[in-house]
Amino acid sequence: MAPTSADRTSSRRTFLAAGLTGGAVVGLGGLLTACGSSGSGSGGGAAASPSAGAGVNQKSVTQGGDDYATVVEKMKGFGTDAAAGVFPRTVRHAMGSAVIPKKPVRVVVLDTGELDNVVALGIQPVGVAYTDGSKTMPAYLKAQAGTPASVGTISSLNLEAIAALKPDLILGSQLRAQDQYAALSKIAPTVFSIRPGYPWKENFALNATPFGLEAEAGAQLAAYRAAAKEIGAKVSASTGGKPPAITPLRFMPGKIRLYAELSFIGTLLADIPLPQPKIEQVKELAVEVSAEQIDKADADWVFYGVYGSPSSTGQDAVLGGALWKTLGAVKAGQARPVADETWFLGLGVMAANAVLKDLQGFVAP
């Protein structure tokens, strides 16, 4: 029987909730001030888990206080009731709703996830807010992103620069720029997700909605899931059903993080699936360790990135230290550097696909 008008409206309304269910969404962690600044990434409000290990500093990355399930539930109401490609359309989002009079062509993006998302949809933004530690276009997007103007950083937006670009859409998040929302929405229709990071699939769907490109986003997410499952099948076949444990490790100024389940990279590992060591099996962004605790990072494979300049993070001292050389992954030649801009900063489908390609090359060649 052909779908009725009511059926189609219901289907459009539930796109963000049901169109993303190829990979389980188990909740969202609290997020620190800036994902790529000194407080980069997403964490949670729960207390440190005993499984994190004695002496490991997890509490410092569990900021934000948001209830995981509540955030996911809120996102199910985001989106539009408009038919595909029909304008004007009203988009429900984290700060209320925004009326999009026509398909936007001059877009300003306020974070790395929004940048990745619009480029994935074939859109070159006119303005972008970069991270404090990397104020240039990420190399993996450079060929497709055009030459957008800088509008400050994700932690310090330049509203005058944004207004001067005469955008017809601004994409960002409540967590990053809630205080600037009123001013931004006076410049152009502004659509905010709740937060960057862990809910990257929902954010991609939301970012596609103002353009009427929901189907395109859904197709790209489906392709990502298929690629993840293919890697998982190859790994399972080659290991007899015992896939290797993976540690995503990141060197940052003043801290070393082992990324956990509620991080961008954590969701990718879960989608394949590839396990993480017990210390990282917590519903938080990350577990922080000191250089003297680097042995806690050990796994079958250790993939490490560095935020900003390696000289500002202590990475060289750790990698050249005696304790690092005792790790099983290091002894086996399975501790490898990876691109921070995709593994930890990308927060979108193009970065996710780049990470899958890396993982396939290493663990499922």
Side-chain angles (χ1 to χ4, degrees), residues 140-225:
Y140 80 102
L141 296 177
K142 193 171 290 185
Q144 296 165 266
T147 54
S150 173
V151 295
T153 67
I154 60 176
S155 60
S156 183
L157 298 176
N158 185 331
L159 297 182
E160 290 184 358
I162 294 173
L165 292 172
K166 301 186 184 305
D168 51 15
L169 177 67
I170 299 170
L171 295 175
S173 71
Q174 182 180 23
L175 185 102
R176 295 284 198 237
Q178 179 174 347
D179 291 346
Q180 288 79 40
Y181 177 77
L184 290 166
S185 61
K186 290 179 181 178
I187 297 172
T190 301
V191 173
F192 272 9
S193 64
I194 295 176
R195 57 181 61 244
Y198 178 81
W200 64 274
K201 301 183 188 85
E202 290 87 349
N203 292 348
F204 186 32
L206 177 63
N207 289 170
T209 304
F211 303 98
L213 297 174
E214 299 94 322
E216 286 79 355
Q220 290 195 43
L221 288 173
Y224 154 79
R225 290 194 185 93

Side-chain angles (χ1 to χ4, degrees), residues 82-349:
V86 171
F87 294 89
R89 55 179 44 213
T90 299
V91 177
R92 298 180 298 276
H93 60 93
M95 298 296 291
S97 61
V99 176
I100 314 298
K102 60 182 180 179
K103 186 173 182 178
V105 294
R106 296 186 60 81
V107 186
V108 169
V109 293
L110 305 183
D111 205 342
T112 57
E114 287 81 46
L115 173 61
D116 185 300
N117 290 340
V118 300
V119 174
L121 294 170
I123 298 154
Q124 293 185 339
V126 296
V128 58
Y130 292 113
T131 67
D132 294 287
S134 182
K135 298 179 181 178
T136 58
M137 180 63 64
Y140 80 102
L141 296 177
K142 193 171 290 185
Q144 296 165 266
T147 54
S150 173
V151 295
T153 67
I154 60 176
S155 60
S156 183
L157 298 176
N158 185 331
L159 297 182
E160 290 184 358
I162 294 173
L165 292 172
K166 301 186 184 305
D168 51 15
L169 177 67
I170 299 170
L171 295 175
S173 71
Q174 182 180 23
L175 185 102
R176 295 284 198 237
Q178 179 174 347
D179 291 346
Q180 288 79 40
Y181 177 77
L184 290 166
S185 61
K186 290 179 181 178
I187 297 172
T190 301
V191 173
F192 272 9
S193 64
I194 295 176
R195 57 181 61 244
Y198 178 81
W200 64 274
K201 301 183 188 85
E202 290 87 349
N203 292 348
F204 186 32
L206 177 63
N207 289 170
T209 304
F211 303 98
L213 297 174
E214 299 94 322
E216 286 79 355
Q220 290 195 43
L221 288 173
Y224 154 79
R225 290 194 185 93
K229 289 182 178 179
E230 182 178 353
I231 292 172
K234 287 183 178 179
V235 171
S236 182
S238 65
T239 61
K242 295 182 180 180
I246 309 294
T247 283
L249 183 155
R250 194 183 194 199
F251 293 98
M252 303 173 68
K255 57 179 68 99
I256 301 171
R257 286 181 175 173
L258 314 180
Y259 277 71
E261 293 177 358
L262 293 186
S263 65
F264 171 69
I265 185 60
T267 66
L268 271 61
L269 295 175
D271 285 343
I272 292 175
L274 288 171
Q276 294 184 250
K278 187 176 181 180
I279 189 174
E280 297 155 33
Q281 294 175 18
V282 290
K283 296 196 182 303
E284 304 292 352
L285 164 73
V287 175
E288 289 183 4
V289 297
S290 66
E292 294 74 26
Q293 298 170 316
I294 200 64
D295 58 318
K296 295 181 181 295
D298 205 7
D300 296 303
W301 286 87
V302 175
F303 296 106
Y304 57 92
V306 58
Y307 175 70
S309 168
S311 63
S312 68
T313 66
Q315 173 188 261
D316 292 345
V318 171
L319 299 186
L323 190 56
W324 177 258
K325 294 179 176 65
T326 68
L327 271 61
V330 175
K331 291 179 179 179
Q334 294 183 171
R336 303 294 181 86
V338 292
D340 194 75
E341 66 180 18
T342 51
W343 280 64
F344 302 103
L345 280 180
L347 309 182
V349 70

